Amino acid sequence: MSTEPDQARSPAREAAEAGRFRQPPDPRFWRLNRSLPFDWQLAIYDIDQSRAHARGLAAIGVLDSDELTRMESGLERVRERMAEHGFAFADSDEDIHMAIERLLGEEIGSLAGKLHTGRSRNDQVATDVAMVVQNHAITAIELCAATMAELLRLAEEHRDWALPGYTHLQRAQPVYLGHHLLAYFWMLARDVLRFQFALDSASVMPLGSGALAGVNWEIDRDSVADDLGFEHVTHNSIDGASNRDFVLDYLAAGSACTMHLSRLGSEVVIWSSTEFGFCQLDETFSSGSSIMPQKVNPDSAELLRAKSPRVGASYATLLGVMHALPLTYGKDMQEDKEPLFDAIDTVEGCLEMAAGMLEGIRFDRARMEDASGDEMLAATEVADLLVRRGVPFREAHGIVGALVRDAVEQGGKLSDLTPEQLAARSEHLDDSFYEVLERSSWLESKRIAGGTGSGPLTAQIEEARETLAAVRARVLDERS
Ligand code: ARG
């Protein structure tokens, strides 16, 4: 699409040029000023908004009922025309708002000019963007729920499969796979709350703020808000015209959410390596190598890892755009849309792909169990045994450290140490030393709420089920 102005002029430009301006915009200015190449995505929201605004104008007598009917059916025809195959905007359309007004003029003539009564593009664009955020915050919640459902299903299926838990990517303590997977479930549950916050902050309608001071027409804002699905109207026209917090709120939620997915992706990349061999992705979420026929690469997991920073970057971009911006509207704010649209695509794409990737993932029980059978992982268990016998934890830590050194030095395991060797390190060590080295006891000793033991894990799965049911009910409620 060309971004140069052509001979035809947009209605705004024509109106302006008839008065204040004598010259067309310089193409070098026009290329950056023109937002249509990206804000066409606001079209459906702008038409819905315009219909509600027209009804608001009719309710106070600015439009008569015949005019309202013509206006509404004209807007519908514009909607249909834009959806037609081969539809193209005019090069002279500056943005989606001016384009729709021009198209409406082609449908209903000069009556189209009445639509902009009591409205500025400043409150118009803020309202459109708030509608976008509302819609996509709900979508994000819905997609979080789908990924949470997959995690919960996998957690239930693998509730008693042991694997090593890591710190510093070094084997630390064994955990159940169900427990590990649910860690991601709870991250997404917090993301749901973040998207919910973005939804609430976008549910306050700016329309009626005008350019900045309000408008001269006493349109019933509450009924327009109701018509458009907003919960409230803005309290202050200056704030209404200059606020983009709801976009920032969506971007912040999206940044956290994709960051969480990047950690999942990263673990899947590591786990699916030949060295680990803990899991394998389904072919449909993997790629082959163009040169090495044996390879099945975890590209989907790698993309989850790599997509996330673009959302954080969008957040930083818009925060930078809004930073120190004097009230109210500045053209700077036109730069809210590309970061938002890009983030929406990324957030939704990543959530959808994560759910799909998890659907077909397969875990290797033997490989994980083997790795978690490393007796050194039970070092803390031995320390706790000493603590139960009255040894202060710090001292116990030192004794076990020495035992580990003894075992390593003689090239063996902790359980290879003889009772004499144990006695040399502590008078409190007897045969129970060998019992706590049994693997099942390391996992089941974590009986504390939130721990990996089977008892708390069962309770956790129940809590996760309830949380997911509540999120799903919330989505249904928002969509109804
Ligand atoms: N395309 C503009 C934007 O996205 C619409 C608002 C224009 N308002 C103005 N005062 N020039 O921000």
Side-chain angles (χ1 to χ4, degrees):
M1 193 187 299
S2 156
T3 52
E4 310 268 304
D6 67 5
Q7 293 311 308
R9 295 279 157 73
S10 72
R13 193 71 198 185
E14 282 201 340
E17 282 167 20
R20 176 77 180 73
F21 288 86
R22 297 222 179 84
Q23 304 229 39
D26 187 292
R28 291 166 295 183
F29 159 57
W30 184 257
R31 199 164 83 81
L32 289 197
N33 187 48
R34 190 170 186 258
S35 52
L36 194 62
F38 48 87
D39 73 10
W40 60 268
Q41 295 172 79
L42 298 176
I44 50 173
Y45 302 95
D46 206 66
I47 289 183
D48 285 346
Q49 183 197 149
S50 291
R51 290 189 58 158
H53 180 62
R55 288 195 275 264
L57 289 175
I60 55 165
V62 175
L63 298 176
D64 65 29
S65 70
D66 175 56
E67 287 174 324
L68 175 63
T69 309
R70 283 167 54 212
M71 190 88 87
E72 288 196 295
S73 57
L75 284 166
E76 279 320 299
R77 280 203 301 280
V78 171
R79 191 200 298 273
E80 284 158 20
R81 270 178 67 185
M82 288 194 299
E84 271 165 21
H85 184 68
F87 169 82
F89 289 106
D91 288 347
S92 57
D93 292 331
E94 179 185 328
D95 61 22
I96 188 62
H97 322 290
M98 305 315 304
I100 289 175
E101 200 176 318
R102 177 182 63 77
L103 292 164
L104 186 63
E106 288 177 11
E107 299 296 331
I108 62 173
S110 63
L111 173 60
K114 287 198 178 182
L115 180 60
H116 215 52
T117 312
R119 183 171 72 168
S120 153
R121 271 190 296 163
N122 296 356
D123 57 349
Q124 183 177 1
V125 71
T127 302
D128 284 351
V129 175
M131 290 165 77
V132 172
V133 170
Q134 279 183 50
N135 188 10
H136 288 279
I138 300 171
T139 303
I141 294 173
E142 213 164 11
L143 294 174
C144 281
T147 306
M148 287 160 75
E150 279 308 316
L151 288 164
L152 178 54
R153 178 187 64 79
L154 288 169
E156 293 189 80
E157 284 171 14
H158 304 88
R159 56 167 82 203
D160 57 353
W161 292 29
L163 82 157
Y166 295 81
T167 61
H168 312 271
L169 202 55
Q170 307 286 323
R171 285 180 192 169
Q173 291 178 311
V175 290
Y176 287 123
L177 180 55
H179 190 56
H180 191 104
L181 291 168
L182 285 179
Y184 288 106
F185 178 98
W186 297 113
M187 293 178 215
L188 289 173
R190 291 193 296 275
D191 294 331
V192 165
L193 299 180
R194 293 185 176 93
F195 283 118
Q196 181 69 48
F197 184 80
L199 171 61
D200 293 342
S201 81
S203 296
V204 188
M205 186 184 78
L207 192 62
S209 301
L212 78 152
V215 297
N216 298 342
W217 307 88
E218 280 183 60
I219 300 165
D220 180 350
R221 296 182 70 202
D222 288 320
S223 94
V224 175
D226 206 37
D227 206 351
L228 286 175
F230 282 91
E231 299 288 329
H232 309 282
V233 301
T234 49
H235 294 288
N236 178 307
S237 60
I238 293 175
D239 184 40
S242 61
N243 175 30
R244 290 295 183 276
D245 290 3
F246 44 85
V247 183
L248 288 168
D249 293 334
Y250 177 89
L251 295 174
S255 303
C257 178
T258 52
M259 175 273 286
H260 292 146
L261 296 177
S262 80
R263 298 183 77 174
L264 173 66
S266 181
E267 290 209 312
V268 169
V269 172
I270 295 168
W271 286 6
S272 62
S273 66
T274 312
E275 282 70 14
F276 272 71
F278 288 2
C279 72
Q280 214 184 333
L281 290 182
D282 192 75
E283 285 183 8
T284 53
F285 282 82
S286 313
S287 311
S289 153
S290 52
I291 180 165
M292 295 164 283
Q294 82 282 10
K295 293 194 75 188
V296 182
N297 300 324
D299 297 32
S300 52
E302 291 171 308
L303 287 168
L304 282 184
R305 203 167 57 173
K307 284 283 182 191
S308 144
R310 7 179 354 142
V311 185
S314 290
Y315 179 65
T317 298
L318 186 59
L319 203 58
V321 166
M322 299 306 290
H323 164 83
L325 195 63
L327 301 177
T328 48
Y329 179 86
K331 210 26 149 345
D332 315 53
M333 288 163 71
Q334 179 164 283
E335 293 293 308
D336 59 351
K337 288 167 214 52
E338 287 165 293
L340 174 63
F341 294 144
D342 188 73
I344 288 171
D345 285 347
T346 308
V347 166
E348 295 179 4
C350 285
L351 280 167
E352 278 171 359
M353 186 172 68
M357 185 188 85
L358 292 171
E359 242 168 69
I361 197 168
R362 283 183 311 281
F363 293 97
D364 188 325
R365 185 169 200 162
R367 287 295 294 249
M368 290 190 302
E369 221 160 66
D370 218 33
S372 69
D374 181 349
E375 237 182 30
M376 293 301 181
L377 302 189
T380 319
E381 306 294 320
V382 179
D384 279 337
L385 173 70
L386 289 168
V387 169
R388 277 194 199 99
R389 292 177 178 177
V391 182
F393 183 79
R394 286 292 164 212
E395 207 177 300
H397 187 281
I399 295 170
V400 179
L403 290 170
V404 168
R405 206 171 49 244
D406 292 343
V408 170
E409 272 168 9
Q410 68 188 42
K413 307 194 298 271
L414 279 172
S415 55
D416 294 335
L417 296 174
T418 61
E420 293 70 39
Q421 285 177 296
L422 301 185
R425 294 293 179 191
S426 167
E427 51 178 315
H428 300 288
L429 289 172
D430 54 20
D431 278 354
S432 22
F433 170 83
Y434 302 101
E435 279 160 33
V436 297
L437 291 181
E438 299 282 333
R439 179 187 344 194
S440 56
S441 77
W442 321 336
L443 285 144
E444 290 306 327
S445 56
K446 305 297 180 296
R447 280 184 290 270
I448 190 166
T452 197
S454 308
L457 182 52
T458 303
Q460 186 188 167
I461 287 172
E462 194 42 50
E463 286 156 14
R465 277 199 202 114
E466 284 164 20
T467 300
L468 180 59
V471 173
R472 283 178 163 155
R474 189 72 230 226
V475 170
L476 284 179
D477 190 45
E478 291 294 346
R479 287 282 184 222
S480 66

